């Protein structure tokens, strides 16, 4: 069967084509405005610690996971999950439906970029003046007014207002561009990315060199890199770091699964994942250097008061950095229209391949399920996506865009999906099969640590972040209602959307597809079952702990008793989790499979553990908020920042160097098979 699928499925032309396409998907708008802005807001150089931990602890292992399941099944996300068990199909659709929500607004941001690109071109031809230009601090107001009023025609509140016709054209251009990039299939995508990946890198390089050579750039870099260590004590910093890693690496939406499903059977998995992830980080980091060096240069020219970078003064939210702060900064400096062109050109080329990777993944999922033809599904999707996009190009659309992005990319969307993916594949599938599959064709091999991190470490970390946000939202006020008791419409709709996504996913997975023939399921599901007794014990214990946790949260008891129970539950959760893991390791063999009770016990225990950790974190943050942290005045780059800079470059250059070395070494060895691995795979 596998060979049959392989023959029919198209594939990337070359290894480079695949790597670049995956980098193209990963490197997007999130790198150029998301990363620098978050780094600056959450501790400067200190933010790099949670970010790098998240990258190596969660990012790379999950990317390997997504690559291996896509490659192993040769199917887009829903069908790939279904190969494990027919009920898992909804997990795949869940991610795909989330991707659909994103694809309704991501192109809208790209449309802004197209517009600003156009203004820059016009600027170049009309003597170098940008429409938002203005001298000194007045220019900040100009840039704000231009984006908010002239361009967006923004109105406050939840009302949509009328459609902004000036954004309709750029939105059409965006969708048409995306259409032409993918209408021929991934072979063409594999060629297009040879343009859309190196070009923005070149642009970023130009911006960085120019930024760093400006007078005052060091001041900007100090704001970017000087660490504020106290931010590390706030769990929110960690939450943002993990969220940013997921979004930036395009994980959890089924994109990487789909891309890997088009890989040739002999392709490397592990090394590719590492290369792509590190390249994505490198791009984010360099983008930050470019942005902040330029902001520093601007501050020097305009002598802005006590916050020379003035990001806060200019940009309230992520997109404003790209459409207000940076355009303003450029307008203060010589050759503004040219560099504005370079910046928006970089954004457009960065964003387009991320956007079409999502379209491609939705498209491939539909085609895999229904067998309908691409040439019909794609135009329909393009029109539907465009029509949904119209909601966001109304006067009130920008507010909605921000809120919905917050939900989909926040804890409710992305973190939960990542968690679900790991839990399902780690506890309910045989993760070892995937590891063997990946190892048998990769430049370097994963050890058993990978199984444990997918099964336990990552779910506990993501689960803790998820529960912590959940408790915050439920118990804190001002989430769905204002303190005055009024409903906050945007949040209600956002929450409804993320709640509706799994419902739609279930419906989609129930609909009969063309591949629903008997015997499609994984053969391992028919093996005799072992470990029932231990499984039952673990299951009951895990359930009791879960019930206790609910009681803990709802029933009032004295604080001291509460603390003791909490730590008891935490240790109980960890013990049950390890026990279930032991049962799985012992019984997942070629002749048997572990009892489902043990597998579910493992899942409940990981959730128990993470919920307990979340409660502890919540307690920490409450005590934290009492002390106000003021940012130190930072004029020049401190010694620590130089060390941070050196360490980051070492990680990037060392990491990529090591990956390429392994690739070269493996290329020399091709033809030599690993007999133990081949034997293992059938086991
Ligand atoms: N990784 C892309 C970015 O940084 C966004 C993206 C998310 C693309 C999910 C595909 C899937 O902008």
């Amino acid at each position: 069967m596998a060979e049959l699928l392989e023959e029919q499925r198209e594939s990337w032309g070359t290894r480079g084509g695949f790597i670049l396409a995956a980098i193209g998907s990963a490197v997007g708008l999130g790198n150029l405005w998301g990363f620098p802005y978050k780094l600056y807001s959450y501790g400067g150089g200190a933010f790099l610690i949670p970010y790098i931990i998240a990258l190596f602890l969660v990012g790379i292992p999950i990317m390997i996971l997504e690559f291996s399941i896509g490659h192993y099944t040769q199917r887009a996300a829903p069908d790939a999950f279904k190969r494990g068990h027919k009920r898992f199909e909804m997990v795949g659709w869940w991610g795909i439906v989330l991707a659909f929500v994103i694809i309704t607004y991501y192109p809208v941001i790209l449309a802004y970029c197209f517009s600003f690109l156009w203004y820059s071109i016009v600027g170049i031809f009309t003597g170098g003046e940008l429409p938002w230009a203005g001298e000194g601090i007045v220019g900040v107001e100009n840039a704000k007014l231009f984006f908010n009023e002239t361009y967006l025609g923004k109105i406050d509140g939840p009302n949509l207002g009328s459609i902004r016709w000036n954004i309709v054209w750029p939105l059409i251009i965006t969708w048409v561009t995306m259409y032409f990039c993918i209408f021929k299939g991934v072979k063409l995508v594999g060629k297009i990315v040879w343009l859309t990946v190196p070009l923005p890198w070149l642009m970023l390089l130009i911006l960085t060199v120019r930024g760093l050579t400006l007078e005052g750039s060091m001041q900007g870099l100090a704001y970017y890199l000087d660490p504020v260590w106290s931010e590390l004590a706030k769990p929110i910093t960690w939450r943002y770091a993990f969220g940013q890693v997921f979004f930036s690496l395009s994980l959890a939406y089924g994109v990487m699964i789909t891309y890997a499903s088009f890989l040739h059977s002999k392709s490397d998995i592990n090394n590719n994942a590492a290369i792509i992830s590190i390249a994505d980080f490198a791009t984010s980091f360099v983008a930050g250097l470019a942005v902040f060096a330029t902001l520093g240069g601007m501050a020097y020219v305009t002598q802005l008061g006590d916050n020379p970078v003035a990001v806060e003064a200019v940009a309230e939210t992520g997109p404003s950095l790209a459409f207000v702060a940076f355009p303003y900064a450029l307008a203060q400096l010589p050759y503004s229209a040219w560099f504005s062109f370079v910046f928006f050109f970089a954004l457009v080329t960065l964003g387009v391949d991320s956007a079409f990777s999502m379209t491609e993944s939705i498209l491939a999922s539909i085609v895999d399920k229904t067998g309908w033809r691409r040439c019909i599904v794609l135009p329909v999707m393009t029109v539907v996506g465009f029509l949904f996009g119209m909601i966001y190009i109304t006067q009130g659309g920008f507010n909605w865009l921000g809120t919905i992005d917050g939900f989909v990319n926040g804890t409710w969307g992305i973190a939960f999906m990542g968690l679900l993916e790991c839990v399902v594949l780690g506890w309910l599938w045989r993760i070892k099969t995937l590891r063997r599959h990946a190892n048998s064709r990769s430049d370097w091999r994963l050890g058993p640590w990978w199984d444990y991190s997918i099964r336990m470490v990552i779910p506990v970390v993501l689960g803790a972040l998820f529960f912590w946000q959940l408790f915050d939202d439920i118990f804190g006020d001002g989430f769905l209602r204002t303190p005055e008791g009024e409903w906050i419409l945007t949040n209600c709709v956002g929450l409804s959307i993320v709640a509706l996504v799994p419902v739609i996913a279930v419906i989609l997975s129930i609909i009969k597809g063309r591949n629903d023939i008997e015997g499609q399921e994984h053969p391992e599901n028919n093996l005799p079952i072992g470990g029932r007794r231990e499984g039952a014990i673990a299951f009951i214990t895990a359930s009791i702990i879960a019930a206790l946790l609910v009681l803990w949260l709802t029933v009032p008891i004295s604080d001291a008793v509460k603390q003791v129970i909490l730590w008891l539950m935490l240790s109980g959760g960890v013990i049950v989790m390890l026990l279930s893991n032991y049962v799985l390791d012992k019984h997942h063999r070629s002749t048997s499979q572990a009892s489902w009770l043990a597998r579910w016990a493992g899942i409940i225990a990981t959730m128990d553990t993470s919920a307990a950790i979340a409660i502890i974190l919540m307690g920490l943050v409450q005590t934290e908020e009492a002390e106000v942290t003021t940012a130190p005045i930072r004029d020049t780059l401190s010694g620590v920042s130089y060390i941070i800079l050196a360490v980051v470059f070492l990680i990037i250059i060392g990491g990529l160097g090591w990956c390429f070395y392994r690739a070269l070494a493996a290329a020399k060895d091709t033809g030599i098979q690993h007999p133990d691995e081949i034997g293992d795979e059938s086991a």
Side-chain angles (χ1 to χ4, degrees), residues 25-31 102 106 247-251 253 255 354-355 357-358:
S25 169
V27 174
L29 303 178
N31 298 62
I102 301 185
Y106 199 91
F247 183 71
S248 193
L249 294 182
S250 307
L251 298 175
Y253 297 122
V255 171
S354 300
S357 73
M358 276 182 266

